[in-house]
Amino acid sequence: MKSNDVIKTTCPRDCYDACGIAVIRRNGAIAKVLGDPDHPVSRGALCGKCAIAYNGVWRDPGLRLSQPLKRVGPKGSNEFMPISWEQATAEIAQRLKQVIDAGQARSILHTHYTGTVGFLAGWFPMRFFNRIGATEVDPDTVCNKAGHAALELVFGNSLEGFDPRTVRDTKTILVWGANPSSSAPHHNKGWLGQAQAAGVKIIVVDPISHGTARQADLHLKLRPGSDAVLAFALLHVLQANGLLDHDFIAAHVEGAVELMPTIEAMSPAQAEQLCGVPAEQITAAALAYGSGPSLLWLGQGVQRQPQGGNIVRAVAALVAMSGQLGKPGAGYLYMNGPAIRGVDMASLTLASLAQNGTGSVSHMDLAATLEDAQATRVFFNWNNNPAASSPEQVRLRRALQREDLFHVAVELFHTDTTAYADIVLPAASFLECDDLILSYFDLSLSAQVKAGDPPRQALPNTEIFRRLAAAMELPEAALYETDAELLQQLLKQTSFAGSFSDLAKLGTVNLFEQTRIQFAGLKFATPSGRIELASARAVEQGLPRLPQAQADALPPEGSLRVLSPASNWLMNSSYGNDATIQSRLGVPTVLLHADDALRHGLRDGDPVLLANEQGELTLQVCISDDTQSGTVIVHKGRWSGVNGARYNVNALVPGRQCDIAQSTSVHGTQAWLRPVAAG
Ligand SMILES: Nc1nc2c(c(=O)[nH]1)N[C@H]1C(S)=C(S)[C@@H](COP(=O)(O)OP(=O)(O)OC[C@H]3O[C@@H](n4cnc5c(=O)[nH]c(N)nc54)[C@H](O)[C@@H]3O)O[C@H]1N2
Ligand SMILES: Nc1nc2c(c(=O)[nH]1)N[C@H]1C(S)=C(S)[C@@H](COP(=O)(O)OP(=O)(O)OC[C@H]3O[C@@H](n4cnc5c(=O)[nH]c(N)nc54)[C@H](O)[C@@H]3O)O[C@H]1N2
Ligand code: SF4
Ligand SMILES: [Mo]
């Protein structure tokens, strides 16, 4: 008789924590998915949502897709019949060839994103799309592109963050527009909690009183979209108190002198008017941050504002002019990317396979692009659920009903998006294939290890795209490399000396023995080689040369700002089909400040319509001081058909681009409240 055994693997969600997982197997089958007690981050516990989902929906044979399906009912009806892999790949290949042979390869559109951040399952399929010359819906435009583009302008690199271990030399941590209590629960309790216990001062800048903000030493609860004003006021206090680092500025910063008049004009009292944060809190935060050494955790929520690029450039000025960079205990983190660990993404995605180039569109234009019969003849979605996650939800779902659109979905589950597909291909989950995970918070490398078999005919993303390449008779060997070969090649690029099976035994390794200093040589990949607060490249992009001290106007009378941040119980839209998660979530709510509730004559538990020119949602009022007057919260990621909801908050979100890189401005959404009609 076989005994129990344990497989160490890694959570591949798009999450700062990258938890180590222990899969308990009984007779070779997965019995339980738990946190790895030996893992430095998870320390034996997964977050609540994954503990439920990995032992629920993720392994529920009744809910997982287990064979290729072909649509038999009208688009959106969710009526399918099973077909073989051969039939599915042959039909897809035939349609793709038709389009490519007609010189219309660019009208093959594909979306992909956060289903998994595994290197193979997340990026190998790009080889196929590059080879056929398809158009990619730029994934980051729905999430974090503005921040990347702005940091790229200023520092020449957005993918080099602080090494979290440097915190031992830190006095203050500024958490700006991130919500670790929800998006990084282990680092919230572990890294941040331990730092605070050791005397590090934690300051949070966020319009919402989330868990991390409530635990912080100081919470600057600013108005949404007013961050640039706050950043300039903090600089004002530094200037007034001799805390600007003039030596650092002289040696490494472009544009500081040009910014001085704006800094001098933005007193804390003036900023209080514009961003709603009491002047004395601004002063206290500036003195703590400026004294340093200080770390800045620059989150992804803040740059989803209409002026997200300007905000990030203004906050970057705070880092640069206070000299909080290039020394122990200082730095900022947006993300730690693969390149620091030696991994060359381009070697995996092979853009060089594109013989006639490829195309790219923003997620903000997805609905319009899908509507256009010339622009989109074929649509693929893989690792992505755009009918739940992307803006203009009503319009987007209508576009997906186009009878002449050939739509292929590669998924684990029937989702809001697969409902419209012509062919659905069943994918293996992370528990069912090997992969590599690189945390974007620290500098580790982790193995994702196969712990069980996929349901019936489901296959890993990599194998699905190898089969599609074969059905299309594409000749390039790179399209057929095996997972084992890919893993070996990637590992070779890192400083890890062993094989994949060596890494699998360890689970996670840190690739740097010593704490790494961010931008240690103070060399920046900008045209000047310096930190560019004044940026000629910004001007070329139609942006101001310098960050501006501006705040968004308040919503017009009768309107409210709608923030749609992450829920503790969902990972984007993932897990929304798990029954236990659904009971934790309860009915869809709108969190409303007591002042707004009073103004609208609403009480806790009342049903209400939240509407704008995009659409409307029926929600239950939840009066909460998490939010502030003028701003409501509707969490992202709900599924249709659950608790009576037809749409989620993205039915209210326009496809408006923010000020940079065609990125999302989801947190600039405005809507109004209406009573639900009686009867
Ligand atoms: N209103 C509002 N909307 C938002 C946001 C917001 O703040 N507010 N945030 C945005 C952000 S930050 C992001 S990143 C996007 C994310 O949007 P999405 O990328 O759509 O994320 P998910 O909703 O989790 O969908 C991922 C899908 O991949 C599937 N999947 C998981 N593993 C695999 C696999 O191995 N193979 C395949 N083929 N599929 C797999 C899952 O079942 C799931 O349906 O949403 C954005 N949408
Ligand atoms: N539980 C859970 N965890 C997740 C996800 C999830 O859906 N659920 N999604 C994952 C993904 S894809 C991502 S990208 C990461 C992102 O994780 P984070 O970087 O933590 O970013 P968000 O959680 O999107 O937003 C953080 C905060 O931005 C704030 N914010 C909104 N507008 C403003 C503003 O104008 N100014 C300031 N200062 N703050 C503002 C919101 O109130 C929110 O508290 O989280 C990941 N982790
Ligand atoms: S989603 Fe994040 S917190 Fe939850 S188990 Fe995965 S890595 Fe850990
Ligand atoms: Mo994201």
PDB file of all heavy atoms in Angstrom, residues 28-52:
ATOM      1  N   GLY A  28      -1.151   8.723  -3.970  1.00  0.00           N
ATOM      2  CA  GLY A  28      -0.824   9.410  -5.226  1.00  0.00           C
ATOM      3  C   GLY A  28      -1.818  10.477  -5.633  1.00  0.00           C
ATOM      4  O   GLY A  28      -1.595  11.181  -6.610  1.00  0.00           O
ATOM      5  N   ALA A  29      -2.916  10.632  -4.900  1.00  0.00           N
ATOM      6  CA  ALA A  29      -3.920  11.639  -5.273  1.00  0.00           C
ATOM      7  C   ALA A  29      -3.887  12.779  -4.254  1.00  0.00           C
ATOM      8  O   ALA A  29      -3.583  12.564  -3.067  1.00  0.00           O
ATOM      9  CB  ALA A  29      -5.306  11.017  -5.308  1.00  0.00           C
ATOM     10  N   ILE A  30      -4.200  13.977  -4.718  1.00  0.00           N
ATOM     11  CA  ILE A  30      -4.171  15.138  -3.812  1.00  0.00           C
ATOM     12  C   ILE A  30      -5.278  15.014  -2.768  1.00  0.00           C
ATOM     13  O   ILE A  30      -6.452  14.851  -3.113  1.00  0.00           O
ATOM     14  CB  ILE A  30      -4.361  16.449  -4.603  1.00  0.00           C
ATOM     15  CG1 ILE A  30      -3.247  16.608  -5.644  1.00  0.00           C
ATOM     16  CG2 ILE A  30      -4.410  17.652  -3.664  1.00  0.00           C
ATOM     17  CD1 ILE A  30      -3.404  17.832  -6.546  1.00  0.00           C
ATOM     18  N   ALA A  31      -4.874  15.075  -1.501  1.00  0.00           N
ATOM     19  CA  ALA A  31      -5.874  14.999  -0.431  1.00  0.00           C
ATOM     20  C   ALA A  31      -6.124  16.373   0.193  1.00  0.00           C
ATOM     21  O   ALA A  31      -7.251  16.704   0.558  1.00  0.00           O
ATOM     22  CB  ALA A  31      -5.410  14.019   0.645  1.00  0.00           C
ATOM     23  N   LYS A  32      -5.076  17.195   0.303  1.00  0.00           N
ATOM     24  CA  LYS A  32      -5.222  18.489   0.988  1.00  0.00           C
ATOM     25  C   LYS A  32      -4.148  19.448   0.476  1.00  0.00           C
ATOM     26  O   LYS A  32      -3.003  19.045   0.275  1.00  0.00           O
ATOM     27  CB  LYS A  32      -5.033  18.248   2.494  1.00  0.00           C
ATOM     28  CG  LYS A  32      -5.522  19.348   3.375  1.00  0.00           C
ATOM     29  CD  LYS A  32      -7.023  19.290   3.661  1.00  0.00           C
ATOM     30  CE  LYS A  32      -7.475  20.584   4.291  1.00  0.00           C
ATOM     31  NZ  LYS A  32      -8.867  20.920   4.079  1.00  0.00           N
ATOM     32  N   VAL A  33      -4.504  20.694   0.309  1.00  0.00           N
ATOM     33  CA  VAL A  33      -3.538  21.716  -0.117  1.00  0.00           C
ATOM     34  C   VAL A  33      -3.376  22.708   1.038  1.00  0.00           C
ATOM     35  O   VAL A  33      -4.335  23.386   1.418  1.00  0.00           O
ATOM     36  CB  VAL A  33      -4.021  22.420  -1.407  1.00  0.00           C
ATOM     37  CG1 VAL A  33      -3.032  23.492  -1.841  1.00  0.00           C
ATOM     38  CG2 VAL A  33      -4.222  21.403  -2.531  1.00  0.00           C
ATOM     39  N   LEU A  34      -2.174  22.760   1.596  1.00  0.00           N
ATOM     40  CA  LEU A  34      -1.931  23.560   2.807  1.00  0.00           C
ATOM     41  C   LEU A  34      -0.750  24.513   2.599  1.00  0.00           C
ATOM     42  O   LEU A  34       0.020  24.347   1.658  1.00  0.00           O
ATOM     43  CB  LEU A  34      -1.578  22.627   3.979  1.00  0.00           C
ATOM     44  CG  LEU A  34      -2.596  21.549   4.332  1.00  0.00           C
ATOM     45  CD1 LEU A  34      -1.991  20.558   5.308  1.00  0.00           C
ATOM     46  CD2 LEU A  34      -3.852  22.187   4.923  1.00  0.00           C
ATOM     47  N   GLY A  35      -0.585  25.449   3.496  1.00  0.00           N
ATOM     48  CA  GLY A  35       0.621  26.282   3.476  1.00  0.00           C
ATOM     49  C   GLY A  35       1.822  25.444   3.893  1.00  0.00           C
ATOM     50  O   GLY A  35       1.698  24.580   4.770  1.00  0.00           O
ATOM     51  N   ASP A  36       2.973  25.676   3.265  1.00  0.00           N
ATOM     52  CA  ASP A  36       4.183  24.929   3.614  1.00  0.00           C
ATOM     53  C   ASP A  36       4.738  25.489   4.926  1.00  0.00           C
ATOM     54  O   ASP A  36       5.112  26.665   4.988  1.00  0.00           O
ATOM     55  CB  ASP A  36       5.201  25.085   2.470  1.00  0.00           C
ATOM     56  CG  ASP A  36       6.519  24.380   2.760  1.00  0.00           C
ATOM     57  OD1 ASP A  36       6.674  23.803   3.855  1.00  0.00           O
ATOM     58  OD2 ASP A  36       7.401  24.409   1.879  1.00  0.00           O
ATOM     59  N   PRO A  37       4.803  24.643   5.972  1.00  0.00           N
ATOM     60  CA  PRO A  37       5.293  25.164   7.262  1.00  0.00           C
ATOM     61  C   PRO A  37       6.747  25.637   7.201  1.00  0.00           C
ATOM     62  O   PRO A  37       7.161  26.464   8.001  1.00  0.00           O
ATOM     63  CB  PRO A  37       5.157  23.957   8.205  1.00  0.00           C
ATOM     64  CG  PRO A  37       4.897  22.771   7.348  1.00  0.00           C
ATOM     65  CD  PRO A  37       4.402  23.237   6.023  1.00  0.00           C
ATOM     66  N   ASP A  38       7.517  25.119   6.217  1.00  0.00           N
ATOM     67  CA  ASP A  38       8.934  25.507   6.133  1.00  0.00           C
ATOM     68  C   ASP A  38       9.162  26.751   5.277  1.00  0.00           C
ATOM     69  O   ASP A  38      10.289  27.206   5.137  1.00  0.00           O
ATOM     70  CB  ASP A  38       9.762  24.367   5.509  1.00  0.00           C
ATOM     71  CG  ASP A  38       9.618  23.085   6.294  1.00  0.00           C
ATOM     72  OD1 ASP A  38       9.490  23.184   7.527  1.00  0.00           O
ATOM     73  OD2 ASP A  38       9.598  21.998   5.670  1.00  0.00           O
ATOM     74  N   HIS A  39       8.099  27.238   4.636  1.00  0.00           N
ATOM     75  CA  HIS A  39       8.293  28.363   3.711  1.00  0.00           C
ATOM     76  C   HIS A  39       8.367  29.680   4.475  1.00  0.00           C
ATOM     77  O   HIS A  39       7.542  29.947   5.359  1.00  0.00           O
ATOM     78  CB  HIS A  39       7.152  28.402   2.687  1.00  0.00           C
ATOM     79  CG  HIS A  39       7.405  29.353   1.563  1.00  0.00           C
ATOM     80  ND1 HIS A  39       6.986  30.660   1.607  1.00  0.00           N
ATOM     81  CD2 HIS A  39       8.068  29.210   0.383  1.00  0.00           C
ATOM     82  CE1 HIS A  39       7.367  31.274   0.482  1.00  0.00           C
ATOM     83  NE2 HIS A  39       8.015  30.400  -0.273  1.00  0.00           N
ATOM     84  N   PRO A  40       9.364  30.547   4.139  1.00  0.00           N
ATOM     85  CA  PRO A  40       9.566  31.759   4.937  1.00  0.00           C
ATOM     86  C   PRO A  40       8.391  32.735   4.885  1.00  0.00           C
ATOM     87  O   PRO A  40       8.239  33.552   5.793  1.00  0.00           O
ATOM     88  CB  PRO A  40      10.808  32.392   4.300  1.00  0.00           C
ATOM     89  CG  PRO A  40      10.946  31.760   2.951  1.00  0.00           C
ATOM     90  CD  PRO A  40      10.365  30.388   3.072  1.00  0.00           C
ATOM     91  N   VAL A  41       7.578  32.677   3.848  1.00  0.00           N
ATOM     92  CA  VAL A  41       6.452  33.617   3.764  1.00  0.00           C
ATOM     93  C   VAL A  41       5.161  32.977   4.277  1.00  0.00           C
ATOM     94  O   VAL A  41       4.486  33.516   5.148  1.00  0.00           O
ATOM     95  CB  VAL A  41       6.265  34.132   2.310  1.00  0.00           C
ATOM     96  CG1 VAL A  41       5.051  35.049   2.212  1.00  0.00           C
ATOM     97  CG2 VAL A  41       7.524  34.866   1.848  1.00  0.00           C
ATOM     98  N   SER A  42       4.819  31.821   3.746  1.00  0.00           N
ATOM     99  CA  SER A  42       3.502  31.261   4.129  1.00  0.00           C
ATOM    100  C   SER A  42       3.537  30.639   5.526  1.00  0.00           C
ATOM    101  O   SER A  42       2.500  30.604   6.202  1.00  0.00           O
ATOM    102  CB  SER A  42       3.012  30.248   3.097  1.00  0.00           C
ATOM    103  OG  SER A  42       3.943  29.217   2.880  1.00  0.00           O
ATOM    104  N   ARG A  43       4.655  30.136   5.959  1.00  0.00           N
ATOM    105  CA  ARG A  43       4.798  29.588   7.320  1.00  0.00           C
ATOM    106  C   ARG A  43       3.610  28.725   7.754  1.00  0.00           C
ATOM    107  O   ARG A  43       3.038  28.908   8.836  1.00  0.00           O
ATOM    108  CB  ARG A  43       4.963  30.712   8.348  1.00  0.00           C
ATOM    109  CG  ARG A  43       6.256  31.473   8.210  1.00  0.00           C
ATOM    110  CD  ARG A  43       6.264  32.696   9.113  1.00  0.00           C
ATOM    111  NE  ARG A  43       7.397  33.540   8.825  1.00  0.00           N
ATOM    112  CZ  ARG A  43       8.570  33.447   9.439  1.00  0.00           C
ATOM    113  NH1 ARG A  43       8.759  32.575  10.388  1.00  0.00           N
ATOM    114  NH2 ARG A  43       9.558  34.253   9.097  1.00  0.00           N
ATOM    115  N   GLY A  44       3.187  27.860   6.843  1.00  0.00           N
ATOM    116  CA  GLY A  44       2.163  26.877   7.215  1.00  0.00           C
ATOM    117  C   GLY A  44       0.731  27.307   6.956  1.00  0.00           C
ATOM    118  O   GLY A  44      -0.192  26.533   7.225  1.00  0.00           O
ATOM    119  N   ALA A  45       0.505  28.500   6.443  1.00  0.00           N
ATOM    120  CA  ALA A  45      -0.893  28.917   6.218  1.00  0.00           C
ATOM    121  C   ALA A  45      -1.037  29.631   4.875  1.00  0.00           C
ATOM    122  O   ALA A  45      -0.255  30.514   4.549  1.00  0.00           O
ATOM    123  CB  ALA A  45      -1.335  29.858   7.336  1.00  0.00           C
ATOM    124  N   LEU A  46      -2.033  29.216   4.126  1.00  0.00           N
ATOM    125  CA  LEU A  46      -2.393  29.970   2.922  1.00  0.00           C
ATOM    126  C   LEU A  46      -3.324  31.095   3.326  1.00  0.00           C
ATOM    127  O   LEU A  46      -3.858  31.104   4.437  1.00  0.00           O
ATOM    128  CB  LEU A  46      -3.090  29.045   1.914  1.00  0.00           C
ATOM    129  CG  LEU A  46      -2.295  27.828   1.459  1.00  0.00           C
ATOM    130  CD1 LEU A  46      -3.124  26.978   0.496  1.00  0.00           C
ATOM    131  CD2 LEU A  46      -1.002  28.281   0.784  1.00  0.00           C
ATOM    132  N   CYS A  47      -3.564  32.044   2.426  1.00  0.00           N
ATOM    133  CA  CYS A  47      -4.564  33.070   2.711  1.00  0.00           C
ATOM    134  C   CYS A  47      -5.944  32.391   2.733  1.00  0.00           C
ATOM    135  O   CYS A  47      -6.106  31.275   2.217  1.00  0.00           O
ATOM    136  CB  CYS A  47      -4.523  34.169   1.659  1.00  0.00           C
ATOM    137  SG  CYS A  47      -4.995  33.614   0.012  1.00  0.00           S
ATOM    138  N   GLY A  48      -6.925  33.071   3.275  1.00  0.00           N
ATOM    139  CA  GLY A  48      -8.263  32.495   3.411  1.00  0.00           C
ATOM    140  C   GLY A  48      -8.851  32.056   2.074  1.00  0.00           C
ATOM    141  O   GLY A  48      -9.394  30.956   1.944  1.00  0.00           O
ATOM    142  N   LYS A  49      -8.693  32.914   1.056  1.00  0.00           N
ATOM    143  CA  LYS A  49      -9.346  32.606  -0.232  1.00  0.00           C
ATOM    144  C   LYS A  49      -8.737  31.373  -0.893  1.00  0.00           C
ATOM    145  O   LYS A  49      -9.450  30.515  -1.418  1.00  0.00           O
ATOM    146  CB  LYS A  49      -9.284  33.832  -1.175  1.00  0.00           C
ATOM    147  CG  LYS A  49      -7.885  34.326  -1.502  1.00  0.00           C
ATOM    148  CD  LYS A  49      -7.908  35.664  -2.239  1.00  0.00           C
ATOM    149  CE  LYS A  49      -6.489  36.182  -2.518  1.00  0.00           C
ATOM    150  NZ  LYS A  49      -5.637  36.406  -1.331  1.00  0.00           N
ATOM    151  N   CYS A  50      -7.402  31.259  -0.836  1.00  0.00           N
ATOM    152  CA  CYS A  50      -6.767  30.106  -1.483  1.00  0.00           C
ATOM    153  C   CYS A  50      -6.946  28.833  -0.666  1.00  0.00           C
ATOM    154  O   CYS A  50      -7.073  27.742  -1.234  1.00  0.00           O
ATOM    155  CB  CYS A  50      -5.283  30.375  -1.723  1.00  0.00           C
ATOM    156  SG  CYS A  50      -5.013  31.651  -2.968  1.00  0.00           S
ATOM    157  N   ALA A  51      -6.957  28.966   0.656  1.00  0.00           N
ATOM    158  CA  ALA A  51      -7.190  27.780   1.486  1.00  0.00           C
ATOM    159  C   ALA A  51      -8.547  27.173   1.120  1.00  0.00           C
ATOM    160  O   ALA A  51      -8.700  25.949   1.064  1.00  0.00           O
ATOM    161  CB  ALA A  51      -7.153  28.161   2.967  1.00  0.00           C
ATOM    162  N   ILE A  52      -9.501  28.030   0.838  1.00  0.00           N
ATOM    163  CA  ILE A  52     -10.827  27.529   0.441  1.00  0.00           C
ATOM    164  C   ILE A  52     -10.797  27.016  -1.001  1.00  0.00           C
ATOM    165  O   ILE A  52     -11.184  25.889  -1.290  1.00  0.00           O
ATOM    166  CB  ILE A  52     -11.892  28.644   0.588  1.00  0.00           C
ATOM    167  CG1 ILE A  52     -12.069  29.029   2.063  1.00  0.00           C
ATOM    168  CG2 ILE A  52     -13.231  28.204  -0.026  1.00  0.00           C
ATOM    169  CD1 ILE A  52     -12.909  30.277   2.291  1.00  0.00           C
TER     170      ILE A  52
END
